[in-house]
Amino acid sequence: MNNNTLLNIAKEFGSPVYVYDADTIINQYKRLTNAFNKVKNLKLNYAVKALSNISILKLFNSLGSGIDTVSIQEVQLGLKAGFKPERIIFTPNGVSLEEIESVAKLGVQINIDNLSILEQFGTKYPNIPVCIRINPHVMAGGNTNISVGHIDSKFGISIHQIPLLIRIVENTGMHINGIHMHTGSDILDIDVFLYASEILFETAKNFKNLDFIDFGSGFKVPYKPGDIETNIEELGKKLSKRFNDFCKSYGKDLTLAFEPGKFLVSEAGVFLAKVNVVKQTTSTVFAQVDSGFNHLIRPMLYGSQHEILNISNPKGRERFYSVVGYICETDTFANNRRINEINQGDILCFKNAGAYCYSMASNYNSRYRPAEVLIHKGEAHLIRKRETFDDILNNQLEISI
Ligand SMILES: *Cc1c(COP(=O)(O)O)cnc(C)c1O
């Protein structure tokens, strides 16, 4: 996606706008499948919550991917995009038994992450195979330090509860067909990942009729210079070997599953916003764009540092700016950042905007959510219209006052 392509998109579809590059998504998908080509049965389930546009889902479907979903609405989106139910896994946290039942009735693989629901579900439906989400209590402390942590995490069934879990499975006669972990952002390096995997293998030995082991995600992609990137190739080599050895001792070729979001779509997306005002104060120069945390909340929510380029003036003298939005609340995108000289009307390009950006957008300040564009086979396609005033009023009821 070169600057001219992006500037033309901003001109044609207006700003602010999200732009995604299909080729980058396809390359990341292939990188991951290549890294694990020594595993006989590999299954990638794209985590829908990262970027849930139906055209993006159709792209993943065309690649042979499955999807990982966390709500019945994401399941419905996936079905609408053409995924067969058996290519969908439902990995919710804290949802009702009724929602799990509804999803199970659609023929989707259920993943249960607490003993209370497991017992109720197993009692009612002993014949529906269920995957269980384990919390291995592993996180990276410092660089390579392995520490046992997150004992209070709300996710997963603690490995310390395995004896009770086994008792529930025996008492209900239910069929456990998969073991899963997703440790989120805690795992920074491969050794920690492998360490957690060993705990998963150890747990798997307790269940005789498994079909798959799901290692979740948490793969890192770099946002700013110096950031850690998960070395997928090295992880592929090491984990594949360990997995194949495990399958031998288990006596069955299991499927190795992953459910990446960020790794597959983060770098494929950029966010384009236009500079409304360049405002000099006593201490800093603000560049204020036609957006805010209503469109891209990650910097304010997580302190994420998205690289920002001035694609209207890429050769301009570099100066220091604080890039902020137009929301009536502090909405800082970047503090004291070196950027090519910014003028009113310039288009700024926020990188790594594919994952957890549009999908977290809101109407705060009664602003419209942006448009989304997908570059596919060299052409820019509008895949979501910018909202209009009707969307703001939608579902609001005026009573007589
Ligand atoms: C969010 C989520 C993922 C995706 O995580 P990334 O860091 O985006 O790769 C995978 N599995 C589950 C259960 C999730 O909730």
Side-chain angles (χ1 to χ4, degrees):
M1 295 195 283
N2 65 36
N3 288 355
N4 274 342
T5 308
L6 294 175
L7 287 170
N8 283 334
I9 286 172
K11 207 178 277 171
E12 184 177 350
F13 300 102
S15 74
V17 60
Y18 279 97
V19 187
Y20 312 115
D21 178 44
D23 286 342
T24 308
I25 294 175
I26 295 167
N27 284 342
Q28 288 295 89
Y29 186 85
K30 287 191 177 151
R31 245 185 93 192
L32 200 48
T33 43
N34 283 342
F36 287 87
N37 62 9
K38 292 278 186 321
V39 171
K40 200 164 159 197
N41 307 312
L42 176 73
K43 194 167 175 190
L44 298 186
N45 295 317
Y46 165 62
V48 170
K49 75 181 192 288
L51 175 61
S52 46
N53 187 292
I54 194 158
S55 292
I56 299 290
L57 299 185
K58 282 176 76 171
L59 175 64
F60 277 106
N61 195 24
S62 77
L63 296 174
S65 176
I67 48 170
D68 176 68
T69 57
V70 295
S71 68
I72 190 166
Q73 290 79 9
E74 285 190 352
V75 171
Q76 287 162 337
L77 260 179
L79 292 170
K80 189 118 202 325
F83 287 92
K84 298 252 157 52
E86 59 269 24
R87 297 202 71 85
I88 305 178
I89 181 164
F90 184 53
T91 309
N93 171 261
V95 309
S96 68
L97 177 63
E98 290 74 23
E99 185 169 338
I100 293 176
E101 288 175 331
S102 303
V103 172
K105 281 175 190 152
L106 295 169
V108 167
Q109 171 73 51
I110 302 297
N111 190 351
I112 294 183
D113 93 328
N114 69 85
L115 294 178
S116 163
I117 296 284
L118 186 76
E119 182 170 354
Q120 293 173 72
F121 190 88
T123 305
K124 270 176 107 168
Y125 311 98
N127 297 322
I128 299 183
V130 167
C131 172
I132 43 175
R133 179 174 183 169
I134 301 298
N135 183 346
H137 300 304
V138 174
M139 57 189 269
N143 267 342
T144 52
N145 244 335
I146 293 168
S147 60
V148 178
H150 262 213
I151 204 86
D152 290 329
S153 162
K154 71 165 188 161
F155 298 102
I157 298 166
S158 166
I159 42 161
H160 305 300
Q161 291 177 304
I162 296 293
L164 180 52
L165 181 125
I166 290 170
R167 175 161 289 179
I168 290 170
V169 171
E170 282 172 0
N171 287 349
T172 56
M174 67 191 303
H175 170 195
I176 302 299
N177 69 340
I179 307 268
H180 167 277
M181 72 169 184
H182 172 67
T183 40
S185 306
D186 297 322
I187 291 190
L188 287 168
D189 69 56
I190 291 174
D191 289 335
V192 182
F193 201 100
L194 293 170
Y195 179 82
S197 305
E198 288 306 322
I199 295 173
L200 217 52
F201 290 134
E202 216 33 60
T203 308
K205 286 180 191 161
N206 292 297
F207 303 92
K208 299 296 166 229
N209 293 307
L210 294 180
D211 296 318
F212 66 94
I213 301 182
D214 189 331
F215 294 85
S217 179
F219 303 145
K220 296 275 152 201
V221 296
Y223 278 71
K224 56 177 195 305
D227 270 1
I228 296 172
E229 176 175 20
T230 303
N231 187 335
I232 289 293
E233 287 71 25
E234 190 189 343
L235 177 68
K237 215 179 272 173
K238 290 184 171 166
L239 183 58
S240 298
K241 180 170 184 330
R242 192 57 197 91
F243 183 79
N244 289 339
D245 287 348
F246 177 78
C247 287
K248 227 173 264 168
S249 70
Y250 189 78
K252 181 176 174 188
D253 275 326
L254 300 172
T255 294
L256 191 167
F258 281 117
E259 45 191 39
K262 200 178 268 182
F263 180 83
L264 294 172
V265 297
S266 174
E267 293 163 316
V270 296
F271 179 56
L272 305 179
K274 192 193 275 179
V275 177
N276 282 338
V277 190
V278 179
K279 176 174 182 174
Q280 197 133 3
T281 66
T282 49
S283 60
T284 188
V285 183
F286 286 107
Q288 290 198 268
V289 295
D290 59 354
S291 181
F293 68 62
N294 51 329
H295 299 152
L296 203 173
I297 201 173
R298 291 176 40 81
M300 290 302 291
L301 189 61
Y302 304 122
S304 315
Q305 298 201 28
H306 291 255
E307 211 184 313
I308 302 174
L309 308 173
N310 182 0
I311 58 172
S312 296
N313 187 21
K315 300 223 166 80
R317 179 168 66 100
E318 287 187 339
R319 299 187 62 191
F320 285 91
Y321 295 95
S322 291
V323 179
V324 298
Y326 63 3
I327 289 298
C328 287
E329 198 161 332
T330 302
D331 58 350
T332 308
F333 291 116
N335 246 326
N336 207 30
R337 205 66 86 69
R338 196 195 281 268
I339 301 174
N340 298 104
E341 182 159 356
I342 298 176
N343 294 294
Q344 193 171 314
D346 284 355
I347 300 290
L348 301 189
C349 171
F350 297 67
K351 300 189 70 168
N352 280 84
Y356 307 106
C357 290
Y358 188 93
S359 60
M360 286 187 166
S362 76
N363 289 120
Y364 188 46
N365 276 208
S366 295
R367 294 290 186 180
Y368 306 145
R369 270 178 281 215
E372 291 181 292
V373 169
L374 176 65
I375 302 178
H376 185 242
K377 296 190 174 151
E379 254 184 76
H381 303 270
L382 186 65
I383 58 169
R384 192 191 303 259
K385 293 186 218 168
R386 182 180 314 289
E387 287 181 333
T388 64
F389 192 59
D390 285 341
D391 294 303
I392 302 292
L393 277 179
N394 191 24
N395 290 333
Q396 297 200 50
L397 300 174
E398 284 184 71
I399 59 168
S400 46
I401 289 173

